[in-house]
Amino acid sequence: MDIVVKGRKTEVPERFRKHVAEKLNLEKIQKLDGKVISLDVEVSKEHNPRQADRSDRVEITVHSRGPVIRAEASAADPYAALDLAHGKLEARLRKQHSKRSTRRGTGRLSAAEVPEVVPDVATLNGSGEPVPSEESGAVPTKMMGSVEVRGEGPLVVREKTHKAAPMTLDQALYEMELVGHDFYLFVDSDNKQPSVVYRRHAYDYGVIHLESDPLAGEEGRGAGGSLGG
């Protein structure tokens, strides 16, 4: 397994590269995720003097045959930022490892459960034969360049439906950090509304709650908007 250390608009001293190799315990990481292929460590620097207490940022990305896991942190120096990012990474690896262990303990899936768990799996009839798309109710698709078009339109690149248990805002923030995305869709356990938590400029977060308005359709207005506000 390789560790790649790179700087973004900053030089990375050889002493720090050696510290990264010592800090990231490859043997321990491979125990938590045996499918790890490589680790990327990116160091960047914020030159704004008002952000001196978090001027150095370290982002660690774990590439494996499974999902990508990313952790990042900022501090007054790259060594402290590396320590914080490493702590987050280890916590996320442990969480993923715990999930895999739980799934293995539940036993194999039945044939009836496979379509609910595996996306785009073929539907089988009572004889175990694939059901044609017309019989299964699937919408015919075609490729237009690199874009998938479903039916005659409108254009839908991909459509998914997920079952989600309501969660708190803190839980949604944690899940967003776990997957390394800039936003996370969830059902707020306090008000039961579909909500989106998102990363704003700098290091704070925002949240949008979606409330149904029966008059919105008549007035020709929707709920769309930018997440950057």
Side-chain angles (χ1 to χ4, degrees):
M1 180 172 61
D2 298 326
I3 299 179
V4 179
V5 183
K6 55 187 177 181
R8 187 174 65 182
K9 298 181 180 180
T10 186
E11 293 293 330
V12 181
E14 187 61 30
R15 184 164 64 96
F16 183 77
R17 294 178 184 272
K18 292 181 179 179
H19 180 71
V20 169
E22 296 171 357
K23 183 69 177 179
L24 299 181
N25 189 326
L26 297 183
E27 182 178 351
K28 189 173 184 180
I29 290 175
Q30 287 179 318
K31 283 183 179 180
L32 294 173
D33 188 346
K35 298 181 179 180
V36 173
I37 299 172
S38 64
L39 277 79
D40 288 346
V41 179
E42 184 179 87
V43 184
S44 58
K45 192 170 186 67
E46 172 59 59
H47 297 284
N48 187 344
R50 295 182 179 180
Q51 298 185 11
D53 59 334
R54 51 188 182 187
S55 60
D56 290 275
R57 177 175 172 272
V58 172
E59 179 181 295
I60 308 174
T61 304
V62 177
H63 299 279
S64 72
R65 292 187 292 274
V68 173
I69 298 178
R70 183 178 292 108
E72 60 184 62
S74 298
D77 63 79
Y79 294 90
L82 177 65
D83 288 345
L84 293 172
H86 176 258
K88 292 181 180 180
L89 178 69
E90 189 169 306
R92 292 168 189 177
L93 286 171
R94 288 186 182 280
K95 183 174 182 178
Q96 287 294 102
H97 180 73
S98 177
K99 282 185 177 180
R100 287 194 296 269
S101 300
T102 302
R103 288 169 185 162
R104 285 196 294 266
T106 58
R108 296 182 177 180
L109 295 173
S110 66
E113 294 174 313
V114 171
E116 299 178 3
V117 178
V118 182
D120 303 324
V121 71
T123 304
L124 305 180
N125 58 23
S127 303
E129 300 173 344
V131 178
S133 58
E134 292 78 12
E135 183 179 341
S136 62
V139 178
T141 60
K142 59 183 177 182
M143 297 300 298
M144 295 184 64
S146 59
V147 178
E148 179 182 357
V149 179
R150 303 187 61 191
E152 299 300 325
L155 178 65
V156 178
V157 177
R158 171 176 274 188
E159 180 179 350
K160 283 189 176 182
T161 301
H162 295 278
K163 294 181 180 179
M167 63 177 65
T168 64
L169 177 59
D170 286 343
Q171 289 173 311
L173 286 171
Y174 178 79
E175 293 293 337
M176 183 181 72
E177 291 291 347
L178 180 64
V179 298
H181 289 173
D182 291 329
F183 68 93
Y184 189 81
L185 178 64
F186 70 104
V187 178
D188 196 309
S189 59
D190 292 332
N191 53 34
K192 303 301 185 293
Q193 293 176 338
S195 306
V196 173
V197 63
Y198 61 95
R199 192 190 313 278
R200 302 188 67 214
H201 302 297
Y203 298 90
D204 53 351
Y205 303 95
V207 61
I208 295 175
H209 300 292
L210 188 62
E211 182 177 357
S212 177
D213 184 356
L215 300 178
E218 298 177 5
E219 298 172 1
R221 294 181 288 106
S226 171
L227 294 181

